[in-house]
Short mmCIF file of all heavy atoms in Angstrom, two decimals:
data_model
loop_
_atom_site.label_atom_id
_atom_site.label_comp_id
_atom_site.label_asym_id
_atom_site.label_seq_id
_atom_site.Cartn_x
_atom_site.Cartn_y
_atom_site.Cartn_z
N TYR A 159 45.39 21.45 -27.31
CA TYR A 159 45.12 22.87 -27.08
C TYR A 159 43.86 23.28 -27.85
O TYR A 159 43.00 23.99 -27.33
CB TYR A 159 46.28 23.74 -27.55
CG TYR A 159 47.58 23.57 -26.80
CD1 TYR A 159 48.73 24.22 -27.23
CD2 TYR A 159 47.67 22.77 -25.66
CE1 TYR A 159 49.94 24.09 -26.55
CE2 TYR A 159 48.88 22.61 -25.00
CZ TYR A 159 50.00 23.26 -25.45
OH TYR A 159 51.19 23.11 -24.78
N LYS A 160 43.77 22.83 -29.10
CA LYS A 160 42.61 23.18 -29.94
C LYS A 160 41.32 22.58 -29.36
O LYS A 160 40.27 23.24 -29.33
CB LYS A 160 42.83 22.66 -31.36
CG LYS A 160 43.94 23.38 -32.12
CD LYS A 160 44.12 22.78 -33.50
CE LYS A 160 45.27 23.44 -34.24
NZ LYS A 160 45.50 22.81 -35.58
N GLU A 161 41.41 21.33 -28.91
CA GLU A 161 40.23 20.68 -28.35
C GLU A 161 39.77 21.39 -27.08
O GLU A 161 38.58 21.66 -26.89
CB GLU A 161 40.51 19.21 -28.05
CG GLU A 161 39.29 18.47 -27.50
CD GLU A 161 39.55 17.01 -27.21
OE1 GLU A 161 40.70 16.56 -27.38
OE2 GLU A 161 38.58 16.31 -26.82
N VAL A 162 40.71 21.73 -26.21
CA VAL A 162 40.38 22.41 -24.96
C VAL A 162 39.76 23.78 -25.25
O VAL A 162 38.75 24.16 -24.65
CB VAL A 162 41.63 22.56 -24.07
CG1 VAL A 162 41.36 23.50 -22.90
CG2 VAL A 162 42.08 21.20 -23.56
N ARG A 163 40.35 24.51 -26.18
CA ARG A 163 39.82 25.84 -26.51
C ARG A 163 38.39 25.74 -27.05
O ARG A 163 37.52 26.55 -26.69
CB ARG A 163 40.72 26.53 -27.54
CG ARG A 163 40.34 27.98 -27.82
CD ARG A 163 41.34 28.62 -28.79
NE ARG A 163 42.67 28.71 -28.20
CZ ARG A 163 43.07 29.70 -27.41
NH1 ARG A 163 42.23 30.68 -27.11
NH2 ARG A 163 44.30 29.72 -26.93
N ALA A 164 38.12 24.75 -27.87
CA ALA A 164 36.77 24.57 -28.41
C ALA A 164 35.77 24.23 -27.31
O ALA A 164 34.63 24.72 -27.30
CB ALA A 164 36.78 23.49 -29.49
N ILE A 165 36.20 23.39 -26.37
CA ILE A 165 35.35 23.02 -25.24
C ILE A 165 35.00 24.24 -24.40
O ILE A 165 33.84 24.48 -24.05
CB ILE A 165 36.05 21.95 -24.36
CG1 ILE A 165 36.05 20.60 -25.09
CG2 ILE A 165 35.37 21.82 -23.00
CD1 ILE A 165 36.91 19.55 -24.40
N PHE A 166 36.01 25.06 -24.10
CA PHE A 166 35.79 26.26 -23.30
C PHE A 166 34.97 27.30 -24.05
O PHE A 166 34.13 27.99 -23.47
CB PHE A 166 37.12 26.86 -22.87
CG PHE A 166 37.88 26.03 -21.86
CD1 PHE A 166 39.23 26.26 -21.63
CD2 PHE A 166 37.25 25.04 -21.12
CE1 PHE A 166 39.94 25.51 -20.70
CE2 PHE A 166 37.95 24.27 -20.18
CZ PHE A 166 39.29 24.51 -19.97
N GLU A 167 35.22 27.42 -25.34
CA GLU A 167 34.54 28.43 -26.14
C GLU A 167 33.03 28.24 -26.10
O GLU A 167 32.28 29.19 -25.84
CB GLU A 167 35.05 28.37 -27.58
CG GLU A 167 34.32 29.29 -28.56
CD GLU A 167 34.63 30.77 -28.34
OE1 GLU A 167 35.72 31.07 -27.81
OE2 GLU A 167 33.78 31.61 -28.69
N GLU A 168 32.56 27.02 -26.35
CA GLU A 168 31.12 26.82 -26.39
C GLU A 168 30.49 27.04 -25.01
O GLU A 168 29.39 27.59 -24.88
CB GLU A 168 30.77 25.43 -26.92
CG GLU A 168 31.30 24.26 -26.12
CD GLU A 168 31.08 22.92 -26.80
OE1 GLU A 168 30.47 22.91 -27.89
OE2 GLU A 168 31.53 21.89 -26.26
N GLN A 169 31.21 26.67 -23.96
CA GLN A 169 30.65 26.83 -22.63
C GLN A 169 30.58 28.31 -22.23
O GLN A 169 29.58 28.75 -21.63
CB GLN A 169 31.46 26.04 -21.61
CG GLN A 169 30.74 25.89 -20.27
CD GLN A 169 31.23 24.68 -19.49
OE1 GLN A 169 32.02 23.88 -19.98
NE2 GLN A 169 30.75 24.54 -18.27
N VAL A 170 31.59 29.08 -22.55
CA VAL A 170 31.57 30.50 -22.23
C VAL A 170 30.48 31.22 -23.02
O VAL A 170 29.79 32.11 -22.49
CB VAL A 170 32.94 31.15 -22.49
CG1 VAL A 170 32.87 32.67 -22.34
CG2 VAL A 170 33.97 30.59 -21.52
N VAL A 171 30.29 30.84 -24.26
CA VAL A 171 29.21 31.44 -25.07
C VAL A 171 27.86 31.25 -24.39
O VAL A 171 27.07 32.19 -24.27
CB VAL A 171 29.20 30.85 -26.50
CG1 VAL A 171 27.90 31.21 -27.22
CG2 VAL A 171 30.39 31.36 -27.30
N TRP A 172 27.58 30.04 -23.92
CA TRP A 172 26.31 29.79 -23.24
C TRP A 172 26.20 30.63 -21.97
O TRP A 172 25.13 31.17 -21.66
CB TRP A 172 26.16 28.30 -22.92
CG TRP A 172 26.09 27.45 -24.14
CD1 TRP A 172 25.52 27.76 -25.34
CD2 TRP A 172 26.63 26.13 -24.30
NE1 TRP A 172 25.66 26.72 -26.24
CE2 TRP A 172 26.33 25.70 -25.62
CE3 TRP A 172 27.32 25.25 -23.45
CZ2 TRP A 172 26.70 24.46 -26.12
CZ3 TRP A 172 27.70 24.01 -23.94
CH2 TRP A 172 27.39 23.61 -25.25
N CYS A 173 27.29 30.75 -21.24
CA CYS A 173 27.28 31.54 -20.01
C CYS A 173 26.97 33.01 -20.31
O CYS A 173 26.16 33.64 -19.61
CB CYS A 173 28.62 31.44 -19.30
SG CYS A 173 28.96 29.82 -18.58
N VAL A 174 27.61 33.55 -21.33
CA VAL A 174 27.38 34.95 -21.71
C VAL A 174 25.94 35.15 -22.15
O VAL A 174 25.27 36.13 -21.76
CB VAL A 174 28.37 35.38 -22.80
CG1 VAL A 174 28.01 36.76 -23.35
CG2 VAL A 174 29.80 35.40 -22.26
N GLU A 175 25.44 34.23 -22.95
CA GLU A 175 24.06 34.35 -23.42
C GLU A 175 23.05 34.27 -22.28
O GLU A 175 21.97 34.86 -22.35
CB GLU A 175 23.77 33.26 -24.45
CG GLU A 175 24.48 33.48 -25.78
CD GLU A 175 24.23 32.37 -26.78
OE1 GLU A 175 23.66 31.33 -26.40
OE2 GLU A 175 24.60 32.56 -27.96
N GLU A 176 23.39 33.56 -21.23
CA GLU A 176 22.48 33.43 -20.09
C GLU A 176 22.67 34.55 -19.06
O GLU A 176 22.00 34.58 -18.04
CB GLU A 176 22.66 32.07 -19.41
CG GLU A 176 22.25 30.89 -20.27
CD GLU A 176 20.74 30.81 -20.53
OE1 GLU A 176 19.98 31.50 -19.82
OE2 GLU A 176 20.33 30.08 -21.45
N GLY A 177 23.59 35.49 -19.34
CA GLY A 177 23.66 36.71 -18.55
C GLY A 177 24.53 36.69 -17.32
O GLY A 177 24.26 37.42 -16.36
N VAL A 178 25.60 35.88 -17.28
CA VAL A 178 26.45 35.82 -16.08
C VAL A 178 27.11 37.18 -15.83
O VAL A 178 27.39 37.94 -16.76
CB VAL A 178 27.54 34.73 -16.19
CG1 VAL A 178 26.90 33.36 -16.32
CG2 VAL A 178 28.50 35.00 -17.34
N ASP A 179 27.36 37.47 -14.56
CA ASP A 179 28.08 38.68 -14.19
C ASP A 179 29.58 38.50 -14.39
O ASP A 179 30.28 39.45 -14.74
CB ASP A 179 27.82 39.02 -12.71
CG ASP A 179 26.38 39.39 -12.45
OD1 ASP A 179 25.84 40.23 -13.19
OD2 ASP A 179 25.78 38.84 -11.50
N TYR A 180 30.06 37.31 -14.15
CA TYR A 180 31.48 37.02 -14.34
C TYR A 180 31.67 35.51 -14.50
O TYR A 180 30.73 34.73 -14.32
CB TYR A 180 32.33 37.56 -13.19
CG TYR A 180 32.18 36.86 -11.85
CD1 TYR A 180 33.06 35.86 -11.47
CD2 TYR A 180 31.19 37.24 -10.95
CE1 TYR A 180 32.95 35.23 -10.23
CE2 TYR A 180 31.06 36.62 -9.71
CZ TYR A 180 31.94 35.61 -9.36
OH TYR A 180 31.83 34.99 -8.14
N MET A 181 32.88 35.12 -14.85
CA MET A 181 33.20 33.71 -15.06
C MET A 181 34.20 33.23 -14.02
O MET A 181 35.11 33.96 -13.63
CB MET A 181 33.81 33.50 -16.45
CG MET A 181 32.85 33.63 -17.61
SD MET A 181 31.55 32.36 -17.62
CE MET A 181 32.52 30.84 -17.64
N ILE A 182 34.01 32.00 -13.60
CA ILE A 182 34.95 31.32 -12.72
C ILE A 182 35.67 30.25 -13.53
O ILE A 182 35.03 29.41 -14.17
CB ILE A 182 34.23 30.67 -11.53
CG1 ILE A 182 33.57 31.74 -10.66
CG2 ILE A 182 35.19 29.81 -10.71
CD1 ILE A 182 32.62 31.19 -9.62
N GLY A 183 37.00 30.29 -13.51
CA GLY A 183 37.80 29.21 -14.09
C GLY A 183 38.50 28.53 -12.93
O GLY A 183 39.36 29.13 -12.28
N GLU A 184 38.14 27.29 -12.66
CA GLU A 184 38.58 26.67 -11.40
C GLU A 184 39.21 25.30 -11.58
O GLU A 184 39.04 24.64 -12.59
CB GLU A 184 37.39 26.56 -10.44
CG GLU A 184 36.26 25.69 -10.96
CD GLU A 184 35.08 25.63 -10.01
OE1 GLU A 184 35.27 25.86 -8.80
OE2 GLU A 184 33.95 25.37 -10.49
N THR A 185 39.93 24.91 -10.55
CA THR A 185 40.48 23.57 -10.40
C THR A 185 41.47 23.22 -11.51
O THR A 185 41.55 22.07 -11.94
CB THR A 185 39.35 22.51 -10.32
OG1 THR A 185 38.24 23.07 -9.64
CG2 THR A 185 39.81 21.28 -9.55
N PHE A 186 42.22 24.21 -11.96
CA PHE A 186 43.21 23.95 -13.01
C PHE A 186 44.50 23.42 -12.38
O PHE A 186 45.02 23.99 -11.42
CB PHE A 186 43.49 25.21 -13.82
CG PHE A 186 42.34 25.62 -14.68
CD1 PHE A 186 41.60 26.75 -14.39
CD2 PHE A 186 41.97 24.85 -15.77
CE1 PHE A 186 40.51 27.12 -15.18
CE2 PHE A 186 40.89 25.20 -16.57
CZ PHE A 186 40.15 26.33 -16.27
N ARG A 187 45.01 22.34 -12.94
CA ARG A 187 46.28 21.78 -12.50
C ARG A 187 47.44 22.32 -13.33
O ARG A 187 48.57 22.34 -12.87
CB ARG A 187 46.27 20.26 -12.63
CG ARG A 187 45.63 19.51 -11.48
CD ARG A 187 44.14 19.45 -11.56
NE ARG A 187 43.60 18.51 -10.55
CZ ARG A 187 42.30 18.37 -10.32
NH1 ARG A 187 41.42 19.07 -10.98
NH2 ARG A 187 41.89 17.52 -9.39
N TYR A 188 47.14 22.73 -14.56
CA TYR A 188 48.16 23.21 -15.49
C TYR A 188 47.97 24.71 -15.76
O TYR A 188 46.86 25.15 -16.06
CB TYR A 188 48.06 22.48 -16.82
CG TYR A 188 48.38 21.00 -16.78
CD1 TYR A 188 47.38 20.06 -16.63
CD2 TYR A 188 49.70 20.55 -16.90
CE1 TYR A 188 47.67 18.69 -16.60
CE2 TYR A 188 50.00 19.19 -16.88
CZ TYR A 188 48.98 18.27 -16.72
OH TYR A 188 49.26 16.92 -16.69
N LEU A 189 49.04 25.45 -15.67
CA LEU A 189 48.98 26.86 -16.05
C LEU A 189 48.57 27.00 -17.51
O LEU A 189 47.77 27.87 -17.86
CB LEU A 189 50.34 27.53 -15.82
CG LEU A 189 50.48 28.97 -16.35
CD1 LEU A 189 49.47 29.90 -15.72
CD2 LEU A 189 51.91 29.47 -16.14
N GLY A 190 49.10 26.15 -18.38
CA GLY A 190 48.77 26.24 -19.80
C GLY A 190 47.28 26.15 -20.06
O GLY A 190 46.74 26.91 -20.88
N GLU A 191 46.60 25.26 -19.38
CA GLU A 191 45.15 25.12 -19.57
C GLU A 191 44.41 26.32 -19.00
O GLU A 191 43.44 26.81 -19.60
CB GLU A 191 44.65 23.83 -18.92
CG GLU A 191 43.18 23.56 -19.21
CD GLU A 191 42.71 22.21 -18.71
OE1 GLU A 191 43.24 21.74 -17.67
OE2 GLU A 191 41.81 21.62 -19.34
N ALA A 192 44.86 26.81 -17.85
CA ALA A 192 44.23 28.00 -17.25
C ALA A 192 44.37 29.21 -18.17
O ALA A 192 43.45 30.03 -18.28
CB ALA A 192 44.87 28.29 -15.89
N LYS A 193 45.50 29.33 -18.85
CA LYS A 193 45.70 30.45 -19.76
C LYS A 193 44.73 30.38 -20.94
O LYS A 193 44.21 31.41 -21.38
CB LYS A 193 47.15 30.45 -20.26
CG LYS A 193 48.15 30.88 -19.20
CD LYS A 193 49.59 30.61 -19.61
CE LYS A 193 50.01 31.43 -20.79
NZ LYS A 193 51.46 31.22 -21.11
#
Side-chain angles (χ1 to χ4, degrees):
Y159 295 174
K160 292 178 183 177
E161 182 179 3
V162 169
R163 187 176 295 275
I165 287 171
F166 291 164
E167 175 71 26
E168 61 188 357
Q169 194 156 354
V170 172
V171 166
W172 296 326
C173 290
V174 171
E175 289 178 350
E176 294 292 345
V178 298
D179 294 311
Y180 70 95
M181 288 295 303
I182 296 169
E184 61 182 336
T185 325
F186 291 110
R187 277 81 170 173
Y188 294 94
L189 172 59
E191 186 173 32
K193 288 168 65 176

